[in-house]
Amino acid sequence: MQSLKIVCLLFFSLSAFAAIETYEFSSIQQEQTYQQLTQQLRCPQCQNNNIADSNATISNDMRAKVYQLLQEGKHKQEIVDYMVQRYGNFVTYDPPLTLSTILLWLIPAILLLLGVVILFRRKPQASTLPHNTAETEIDQQRLQAILHTDHKEKK
């Protein structure tokens, strides 16, 4: 029981070593802009988290850079442009419409449509079609003769 308490204390004490970032802002507006930007920018490593919620090293660096650029007097759009230039369009949750994003959405749809067209336009194979109605009649007569002889033999 004593060892369980020690393990629990060690487990919970690890959270005490977590770093808490504190930045001092010159105005409330600057702090709000910082909060908005860190919520708006996506972590390149985590991919589904914004940099405010991510503990990845890259997110820590990005938050520090956002703070630094704000201290230098950069505007919100200038900071977003800087991050996009450095990390790509992926860093924003609303990437711009470019040729590559259009192709990313259109190519699968075009391939699916092409597959459906090919599937429905495909002609049946020649082996499934009767070649000549005379041959099929002859085959029918042979089948009837075989069935008729089998029926007689069973009696």
Side-chain angles (χ1 to χ4, degrees), residues 31-73:
E31 183 177 359
Q32 288 174 345
T33 303
Y34 173 82
Q35 296 298 329
Q36 290 171 353
L37 283 169
T38 57
Q39 293 290 327
Q40 180 182 347
L41 295 170
R42 185 186 316 200
C43 173
Q45 182 178 348
C46 305
Q47 297 184 359
N48 282 335
N49 287 351
N50 54 38
I51 63 173
D53 296 335
S54 174
N55 288 329
T57 305
I58 188 97
S59 291
N60 293 335
D61 294 343
M62 289 174 74
R63 285 191 301 265
K65 191 64 177 179
V66 168
Y67 177 75
Q68 176 191 350
L69 293 172
L70 280 172
Q71 295 305 313
E72 292 174 5

Side-chain angles (χ1 to χ4, degrees), residues 11 45 56 62 82 99 106 123 139 144:
F11 179 71
Q45 182 178 348
M62 289 174 74
Y82 173 85
L99 180 62
L106 285 182
K123 294 180 181 175
D139 290 339
Q144 290 299 327

Side-chain angles (χ1 to χ4, degrees), residues 29-139:
Q29 177 62 32
Q30 193 178 47
E31 183 177 359
Q32 288 174 345
T33 303
Y34 173 82
Q35 296 298 329
Q36 290 171 353
L37 283 169
T38 57
Q39 293 290 327
Q40 180 182 347
L41 295 170
R42 185 186 316 200
C43 173
Q45 182 178 348
C46 305
Q47 297 184 359
N48 282 335
N49 287 351
N50 54 38
I51 63 173
D53 296 335
S54 174
N55 288 329
T57 305
I58 188 97
S59 291
N60 293 335
D61 294 343
M62 289 174 74
R63 285 191 301 265
K65 191 64 177 179
V66 168
Y67 177 75
Q68 176 191 350
L69 293 172
L70 280 172
Q71 295 305 313
E72 292 174 5
K74 303 285 185 191
H75 296 286
K76 189 175 180 179
Q77 190 57 47
E78 291 174 315
I79 296 171
V80 171
D81 292 343
Y82 173 85
M83 293 294 179
V84 167
Q85 182 183 9
R86 183 159 176 108
Y87 299 105
N89 286 326
F90 179 79
V91 79
T92 61
Y93 281 105
D94 189 20
L97 190 62
T98 63
L99 180 62
S100 61
T101 56
I102 292 171
L103 290 176
L104 182 67
W105 285 99
L106 285 182
I107 288 176
I110 290 170
L111 290 176
L112 181 65
L113 191 63
L114 183 65
V116 168
V117 167
I118 289 171
L119 184 66
F120 285 112
R121 292 193 76 189
R122 198 165 114 191
K123 294 180 181 175
Q125 295 179 353
S127 62
T128 62
L129 293 174
H131 296 291
N132 190 341
T133 56
E135 288 179 10
T136 58
E137 288 177 16
I138 293 170
D139 290 339

